[in-house]
Amino acid sequence: MSSTLSSFLRKGTDFLTPNASSANLAASGISNGVTKAPEGALFPKVDPAVDGEDCEHDCESCTIHYPAKFSIDEEEKLYGMVKGWATHMLVATGKTDWVRDVEDEKGSVMEAVGKCKVQPTNGRLMLSASNMPVPSTHHHHAAGAEPTTVLLLPSFTLVENVTPQSVPDLINHYISASPTNTTPFPPPAAAASALPPASSLPVHIDTTSVEQSLSAPPPPPIFPTRPSPHSYLILLCSQKTRDARCGQSAPLLRRELERHLRPLGLYRDLHDERPGGVGIYFISHVGGHKFSANMMVYRRAGADGNGRVADGEAGQCIWLARVRPEDCEGIVRFTVLQGKVVKPERQLRGGFDRERGLVSW
């Protein structure tokens, strides 16, 4: 699929370009049985008759506000204008801001992905730098060879000890083997991670001849993997080098989200590995900063909003924009916990629902 990497490398406004051609649909991971949902059909809107008369109201107790001159585009159409993607990879950097294009971050896994000639075979890869903490061994290695952790979505899989040099093997043996946003869910009896366990990676060593052994390609590195502990993930663009509004909005939204999640026992900080709950990560530019704040909500299948720990793959991603602090209460109550959207006409950019076979692109 030679078009996949070239489309992945396009920057900025590419994320705002709708896809209509069959080639673009294939590059985005679209497969048989997946339907582009018309506006209003992808996720349910809150209903006062079901969700209470206050479900459409802004939070009245919110004391956090954006700066007075925080101005965004309120007119342009949002829904259906994001470019489809198959796999989302978050790279742990321990930072909340990066160089303008993260693929230019010298010596980073992001740079290695941007330059890599190996392409995922299962659709378009969305790459995000994130503030996930780097492993303790990160600073014990030479610059450009530091190991870090990546998070693959929708599989909710953490892949550890990834270095810039090992990116081709990461793509070949993990990303290409990973479920995508349009992969149908397996039946319960077969529900197992599509990622190969480290011990099952192919190691081709010819022991019959010293010469053959020495000339044989080295085996791929073994990456330890483990599931993300969280039932839900909220991703907030924080990259102020692309737009100051993203750098302003992300920390304010995190504070307000925390205020609503803590009483429910669902808040998880960056080092909290308790099962379940909501992880909140800052990520790099996803496009559409003029609609700040951008928020992506990944929900595991089986997460029912009642505190039950869900450990499956992501069933939904709900991508919102124009998010303000006063929206956070409704987003926690209805979007994160129930998969509903409070203000779809104003805020819904797109996403996917794998259980229903629907996407926005």
Side-chain angles (χ1 to χ4, degrees):
M1 196 179 299
S2 59
S3 65
T4 304
L5 189 57
S6 59
S7 26
F8 157 62
L9 291 173
R10 295 190 189 105
K11 314 269 196 319
T13 54
D14 262 3
F15 286 100
L16 303 176
T17 305
N19 291 301
S21 73
S22 59
N24 281 337
L25 292 176
S28 302
I30 287 286
S31 57
N32 290 336
V34 176
T35 303
K36 179 177 179 178
E39 188 168 3
L42 183 55
F43 307 113
K45 181 180 178 180
V46 293
D47 180 354
V50 176
D51 301 306
E53 294 182 359
D54 64 341
C55 67
E56 297 176 318
H57 297 173
D58 291 340
C59 175
E60 296 180 354
S61 62
C62 180
T63 60
I64 295 176
H65 304 286
Y66 285 157
K69 295 184 178 181
F70 193 96
S71 177
I72 62 169
D73 184 314
E74 293 280 2
E75 303 298 328
E76 191 169 324
K77 175 182 171 64
L78 287 182
Y79 182 77
M81 305 302 286
V82 295
K83 188 171 185 178
W85 73 102
T87 306
H88 194 174
M89 183 172 84
L90 276 60
V91 181
T93 71
K95 302 191 297 183
T96 61
D97 196 23
W98 306 269
V99 298
R100 179 175 175 83
D101 294 312
V102 295
E103 296 93 338
D104 295 332
E105 192 99 4
K106 295 300 181 184
S108 69
V109 166
M110 295 87 71
E111 181 187 43
V113 171
K115 293 181 176 180
C116 188
K117 296 181 180 180
V118 177
Q119 306 169 22
T121 60
N122 57 352
R124 179 174 172 268
L125 176 67
M126 182 191 294
L127 173 69
S128 295
S130 82
N131 70 331
M132 291 191 304
V134 296
S136 58
T137 57
H138 179 85
H139 302 293
H140 300 161
H141 291 73
E146 301 99 325
T148 191
T149 302
V150 304
L151 172 62
L152 300 183
L153 297 164
S155 70
F156 267 77
T157 299
L158 291 162
V159 184
E160 300 176 328
N161 294 342
V162 177
T163 65
Q165 295 74 25
S166 63
V167 160
D169 292 305
L170 174 72
I171 294 174
N172 270 331
H173 298 289
Y174 289 81
I175 293 174
S176 291
S178 192
T180 72
N181 298 341
T182 58
T183 303
F185 280 112
S193 172
L195 290 175
S199 60
S200 71
L201 288 177
V203 179
H204 303 293
I205 302 176
D206 187 349
T207 59
T208 62
S209 166
V210 173
E211 291 78 16
Q212 288 177 349
S213 296
L214 292 175
S215 62
I222 296 175
F223 301 113
T225 64
R226 60 187 177 92
S228 165
H230 307 306
S231 295
Y232 314 88
L233 290 175
I234 298 176
L235 310 181
L236 300 169
C237 178
S238 67
Q239 190 172 358
K240 63 182 178 182
T241 55
R242 294 301 294 259
D243 195 294
R245 292 168 294 189
C246 298
Q248 293 169 337
S249 62
L252 295 176
L253 291 177
R254 180 175 61 184
R255 284 171 53 196
E256 186 63 11
L257 289 165
E258 178 181 353
R259 189 171 75 90
H260 295 287
L261 290 168
R262 277 199 181 277
L264 303 175
L266 296 175
Y267 179 72
R268 302 290 188 270
D269 65 27
L270 289 175
H271 300 279
D272 192 337
E273 294 280 322
R274 287 177 296 159
V278 181
I280 302 175
Y281 298 143
F282 290 174
I283 62 170
S284 55
H285 180 65
V286 292
H289 48 256
K290 65 181 178 179
F291 307 123
S292 185
N294 274 277
M295 174 187 291
M296 301 176 76
V297 178
Y298 279 91
R299 308 180 69 251
R300 286 189 189 264
D304 57 10
N306 293 319
R308 184 168 66 88
V309 176
D311 58 3
E313 300 165 4
Q316 295 176 323
C317 175
I318 304 172
W319 189 338
L320 304 176
R322 299 174 178 147
V323 177
R324 302 183 66 85
E326 56 266 31
D327 297 319
C328 289
E329 180 182 24
I331 288 173
V332 168
R333 289 177 59 193
F334 301 111
T335 305
V336 174
L337 297 183
Q338 300 184 48
K340 299 179 180 181
V341 182
V342 179
K343 302 175 181 177
E345 299 85 359
R346 178 177 180 268
Q347 294 183 326
L348 182 61
R349 292 190 70 184
F352 63 82
D353 187 325
R354 288 173 62 196
E355 293 179 289
R356 297 166 62 212
L358 299 176
V359 296
S360 63
W361 53 83

